[in-house]
Amino acid sequence: MSTTLSTATTSSDQDRPELRQAIEEIVESGVLGVQLRVTDERAEWVGSAGARELGSGAGPLTDGHFRIGSSTKSFVAGSVLLLVAEGRIELDAPAAQYLPAFGLDGRITVRMLLQHTSGVFSHTGELLADGTVVPGVAWQGKAWVDDRFRTYRPEELVRLSLSKEPRFAPGEGWSYSNTNYVLARLVIEEVTGRVPDGFDGFLTQLEHQLDDPGFVELAQRGWEARDWDPDDPRIEELAAAMADRYLANPGLLGDPGSLEAWSRAATQYRLIDGHREEQAPVSARLTALTEAKLRSAGVAGPRLPRR
């Protein structure tokens, strides 16, 4: 068992055997590697256990980067609430008012999407009370590995979910559904207009947080690149520029420290993660080239926020 303890602690008495034991037990359960950051009244502790990659004896980094997954739901919810404060979204209005094309149950409100009380089936599948598993899109195991480069548009995921029986009547229960936040993302897009325009404000928030005036322009170039030919030589130039930007601004890459800082921030906005769901061939190539350049610079594994 490989367990490492970072020296990046804020006090000298940070031997936390209970935390080391916890991450070791996670690895013993079958997880390849774990990194953990805890900030509490005893200051900060960071550690890791397991292996960095299959077949490697090196332990995971304690400041490694990773895709932050459903942590982005708090950023989507924050974005919705910003629009509520601006009077552009009503929390208790029917979601169908903003998204009429889907034929949503008129009782489902925006608030229910954010609180997982809509009853909408999750596109990643559901485990029913009787133990029955109703599958959705693959998100783990061999099925996901074999199909990991497939792109799903948000609308496709919503229609898949709506083709399934709802878990319960709107407002009559609680069930975690990833589709709720796909719908919330689409509500944001609908009320703000075109996606690039709608996210200008969020990009500006990110720019202010990072004090990096070039990032907004770079992100907008990345959006425009979707219309380029997949073999356009500008894609490699843009990938190099994006990699350089990420390396110069590690806060753009999800790691335990930056994620914690974002969670504490008064304004919790990031480029909404769902953009990854609509990757065209150009976007996929741009992401692959950027990640390859990051790995060549010593950043191991996929590190980019989803686009």
Side-chain angles (χ1 to χ4, degrees):
M1 176 63 58
S2 171
T3 303
T4 61
L5 176 63
S6 170
T7 57
T9 55
T10 56
S11 67
S12 59
D13 59 342
Q14 286 301 295
D15 183 21
R16 303 286 292 270
E18 74 283 7
L19 297 180
R20 290 203 308 274
Q21 179 180 349
I23 57 177
E24 287 173 359
E25 288 176 352
I26 292 173
V27 171
E28 288 167 359
S29 73
V31 174
L32 176 63
V34 177
Q35 58 177 316
L36 175 67
R37 177 182 295 265
V38 174
T39 303
D40 58 16
E41 67 280 359
R42 295 172 60 181
E44 181 180 90
W45 186 92
V46 286
S48 68
R52 190 173 303 177
E53 60 182 314
L54 288 171
S56 169
L61 300 172
T62 55
D63 60 352
H65 297 84
F66 52 87
R67 302 191 187 282
I68 64 175
S70 286
S71 294
T72 57
K73 286 185 172 67
S74 64
F75 308 148
V76 174
S79 302
V80 170
L81 294 177
L82 173 65
L83 294 168
V84 169
E86 293 175 354
R88 303 173 74 181
I89 292 177
E90 296 180 25
L91 277 177
D92 293 313
Q97 174 179 311
Y98 304 100
L99 303 172
F102 293 115
L104 291 168
D105 188 316
R107 296 171 292 174
I108 296 174
T109 65
V110 175
R111 187 189 301 273
M112 290 177 188
L113 297 179
L114 300 184
Q115 294 183 337
H116 293 295
T117 57
S118 71
V120 172
F121 180 93
S122 179
H123 61 262
T124 47
E126 295 278 8
L127 174 63
L128 305 184
D130 63 1
T132 303
V133 175
V134 183
V137 299
W139 59 274
Q140 64 178 353
K142 186 177 186 301
W144 175 81
V145 171
D146 291 343
D147 207 25
R148 66 190 181 278
F149 296 117
R150 176 172 176 179
T151 294
Y152 294 93
R153 293 189 61 82
E155 295 82 1
E156 185 180 2
L157 298 174
V158 170
R159 296 193 187 284
L160 168 64
S161 294
L162 296 180
S163 72
K164 307 290 187 180
E165 286 293 321
R167 295 299 308 275
F168 44 79
E172 297 297 319
W174 185 93
S175 181
Y176 188 96
S177 171
N178 287 303
T179 309
N180 283 325
Y181 275 73
V182 176
L183 286 163
R185 167 258 176 94
L186 291 172
V187 169
I188 293 170
E189 292 183 7
E190 181 64 25
V191 301
T192 56
R194 292 189 305 112
V195 173
D197 292 341
F199 284 101
D200 278 350
F202 307 137
L203 286 169
T204 301
Q205 292 284 351
L206 184 59
E207 175 190 355
H208 289 166
Q209 286 290 331
L210 298 170
D211 194 25
D212 181 5
F215 181 75
V216 171
E217 178 183 355
L218 189 63
Q220 290 172 336
R221 283 177 58 199
W223 188 270
E224 294 167 359
R226 298 183 314 152
D227 297 325
W228 296 351
D229 186 277
D231 296 323
D232 194 313
R234 291 178 295 174
I235 296 174
E236 187 157 358
E237 296 171 3
L238 180 56
M242 294 180 98
D244 289 341
R245 185 69 63 180
Y246 285 124
L247 291 169
N249 297 274
L252 291 171
L253 300 167
D255 64 49
S258 63
L259 180 56
E260 180 185 21
W262 276 97
S263 298
R264 288 198 306 260
T267 306
Q268 297 186 359
Y269 302 116
R270 179 187 282 266
L271 286 172
I272 287 185
D273 227 20
H275 284 200
R276 182 73 172 222
E277 294 165 352
E278 54 185 57
Q279 276 197 326
V282 170
S283 299
R285 182 169 180 242
L286 179 61
T287 298
L289 286 171
T290 306
E291 293 180 347
K293 291 179 183 298
L294 287 173
R295 284 193 293 272
S296 70
V299 179
R303 302 300 178 89
L304 297 182
R306 295 183 179 182
R307 296 187 59 78

